[in-house]
């Protein structure tokens, strides 16, 4: 591999691991048949409270045929929760769909899985590296499953998804579909410094990139540069009206100041052109100590069952100085839209507050 991770990056990772601030929070070559699901009884409550689960860094939700499929970082395996109601995620069945090999280039630190269905098949994108504490080898990998339900069937590795012309540290992959094309967006290094930047490249199929790798964003504002390391990561796509939004996480996840930033483009613009994107100078979602929400970030989006409400799911710590480990827990809340068409996520709702279930639940 053409791995060119700077000494400063590895130095910080080693130091943070030694201090206990950085966990394996953030793939495999052999087909794996999912293990039987864990069955738990449904809830009958009229409301729900955050957090949804005791632990769940980097939460992700995919909707299909009336079901919600949920994933989060587990480090040593990939697991899918399936539920008809997001408010009942804590009681949902879960299935281990991928366990990595004991050794090799994708055997440990499985981070930020995202599930999609493209062209009649399911795909999971996730980050991984060699088993152990050296996180400087993280890359992004792809799994494929042709079953109708992603919690069944067999998952097979399609290998690594990467830019051959710029093959550096790469995590947190997500997919944008625009202008009848697919694009992969991820957080990575430029081979020169240890700053995490957001990159985009066109996809020729669900596991292959084609054409140039283009930088869309890097940390530049004060709220993006709490660390080090200095970070733009966790890119997620949100569409509304004639706009495409790229919501991302900024500042180091081991601090209490992890926040969400926003890039905005036209829904018909060429996303490979940096000029297509306008960057917000201020965060769009941040920590709220009064509501016990620290290090809010790495989010996903879904709509309510009745199709009338937009929801954000994200992780946060419930106490200060809990770092970038498994104490991060998943939370969700309804959001609205500003008059200019941009999302209004509000402020994090206080934990243990009874909230109405999403519409249709």
């Amino acid at each position: 591999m053409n791995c060119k991770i700077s000494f400063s990056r590895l130095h910080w990772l080693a130091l943070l691991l030694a201090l206990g601030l950085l966990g394996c929070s953030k793939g495999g070559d052999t087909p794996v048949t999912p293990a039987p699901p864990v069955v738990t009884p449904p809830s009958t409550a009229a409301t729900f409270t955050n957090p949804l689960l005791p632990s769940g860094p980097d939460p992700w939700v995919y909707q299909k045929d009336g079901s919600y499929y949920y994933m989060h970082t587990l480090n040593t395996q990939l697991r899918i929760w399936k539920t008809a109601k997001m408010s009942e995620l804590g009681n949902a069945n879960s299935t281990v769909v991928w366990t990595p090999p004991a050794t090799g280039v994708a055997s440990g630190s499985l981070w930020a899985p995202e599930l999609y269905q493209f062209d009649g098949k399911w795909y999971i994108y996730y980050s991984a590296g060699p088993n152990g504490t050296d996180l400087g080898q993280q890359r992004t990998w792809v799994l494929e499953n042709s079953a109708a339900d992603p919690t069944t069937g067999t998952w097979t590795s399609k290998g690594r998804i990467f830019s051959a012309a710029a093959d550096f540290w790469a995590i947190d992959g997500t997919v944008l579909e625009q202008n009848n094309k697919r694009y992969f967006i991820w957080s990575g290094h430029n081979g020169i410094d240890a700053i995490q930047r957001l990159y985009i490249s066109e996809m020729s199929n669900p596991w292959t990139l084609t054409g140039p790798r283009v930088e869309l964003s890097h940390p530049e504002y004060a709220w993006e540069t709490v660390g080090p390391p200095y970070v733009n990561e966790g890119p997620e796509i949100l569409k509304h009206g004639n706009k495409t939004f790229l919501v991302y996480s900024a500042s180091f996840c081991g601090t209490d100041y992890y926040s969400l930033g926003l890039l905005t483009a036209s829904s018909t613009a060429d996303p490979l052109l940096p000029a297509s994107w306008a960057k917000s100078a201020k965060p769009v979602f941040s920590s709220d100590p009064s509501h016990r929400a620290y290090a809010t970030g790495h989010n996903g989006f879904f709509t309510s069952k009745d199709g009338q409400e937009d929801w954000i799911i994200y992780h946060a710590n419930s106490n200060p100085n809990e770092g970038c480990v498994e104490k991060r827990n998943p939370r969700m809340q309804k959001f609205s839209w500003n008059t200019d068409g941009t999302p209004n996520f509000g402020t994090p709702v206080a934990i243990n507050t009874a909230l109405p279930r999403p519409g249709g639940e």
Side-chain angles (χ1 to χ4, degrees), residues 56 155 304:
W155 286 93
S304 57

Side-chain angles (χ1 to χ4, degrees), residues 72-350:
H72 66 234
T73 289
L74 290 168
N75 303 313
T76 60
Q77 61 182 219
L78 300 179
R79 181 186 290 269
I80 297 175
W81 283 254
K82 181 179 180 180
T83 181
K85 300 177 180 180
M86 280 301 299
S87 60
E88 296 182 0
L89 180 63
N91 298 313
N93 297 337
S94 66
T95 305
V96 175
V97 297
W98 185 259
T99 302
T103 60
V105 292
S107 56
S109 300
L110 279 63
W111 296 349
E114 295 197 2
L115 173 72
Y116 297 85
Q117 189 179 60
F118 298 133
D119 309 321
K121 293 184 179 181
W122 292 96
Y123 294 90
I124 294 176
Y125 299 90
Y126 67 103
S127 307
N131 207 353
T133 59
D134 178 9
L135 303 179
Q137 303 299 318
Q138 291 294 96
R139 296 294 194 275
T140 301
W141 306 79
V142 187
L143 303 175
E144 182 185 69
N145 186 346
S146 59
D149 184 328
T151 63
T152 65
T154 299
W155 286 93
T156 303
S157 175
K158 302 299 290 186
R160 189 160 60 93
I161 185 167
F162 65 102
S163 173
D167 184 12
F168 307 119
W169 196 82
I171 65 169
D172 295 355
T174 198
V175 178
L176 163 64
E177 293 185 285
Q178 184 144 314
N179 300 329
N180 297 314
K181 296 180 180 180
R182 291 193 186 113
Y183 301 88
F184 198 64
I185 304 174
W186 72 98
S187 175
H189 288 170
N190 62 5
I192 300 172
D193 56 40
I195 296 172
Q196 281 180 238
R197 306 163 188 268
L198 297 181
Y199 293 100
I200 186 172
S201 184
E202 188 175 345
M203 306 171 77
S204 59
N205 60 43
W207 60 90
T208 307
L209 303 185
T210 182
R213 180 194 74 158
V214 177
E215 180 183 326
L216 295 183
S217 179
H218 64 270
E220 52 186 310
Y221 298 112
W223 58 272
E224 295 182 286
T225 54
V226 182
Y230 304 130
V231 170
N232 279 182
E233 65 183 12
E236 304 298 348
I237 295 299
L238 176 64
K239 293 193 173 188
H240 182 69
N242 62 355
K243 291 182 172 63
T244 297
F245 302 101
L246 194 165
V247 182
Y248 65 95
S249 300
S251 286
F252 176 49
C253 64
T255 73
D256 291 341
Y257 302 100
Y258 202 53
S259 301
L260 295 183
L262 185 72
L263 302 181
T264 303
S266 163
S267 60
T268 58
D270 182 351
L272 289 175
L273 298 177
S276 295
W277 300 91
K279 183 174 182 176
S280 174
K282 297 180 179 180
V284 292
F285 194 67
S286 300
S287 299
D288 187 341
S290 67
H291 286 176
R292 295 186 64 188
Y294 301 86
T296 51
H298 206 122
N299 64 287
F301 301 105
F302 65 93
T303 57
S304 57
K305 289 188 73 69
D306 64 8
Q308 301 302 305
E309 300 170 355
D310 296 302
W311 287 70
I312 182 173
I313 187 168
Y314 61 96
H315 74 227
N317 285 322
S318 298
N319 300 290
N321 304 312
E322 289 188 328
C324 193
V325 293
E326 284 64 32
K327 291 183 178 181
R328 295 173 295 172
N329 48 69
R331 309 171 184 201
M332 69 182 195
Q333 60 190 68
K334 185 169 64 172
F335 69 92
S336 60
W337 299 92
N338 298 312
T339 56
D340 64 356
T342 58
N344 186 338
F345 300 127
T347 59
V349 175

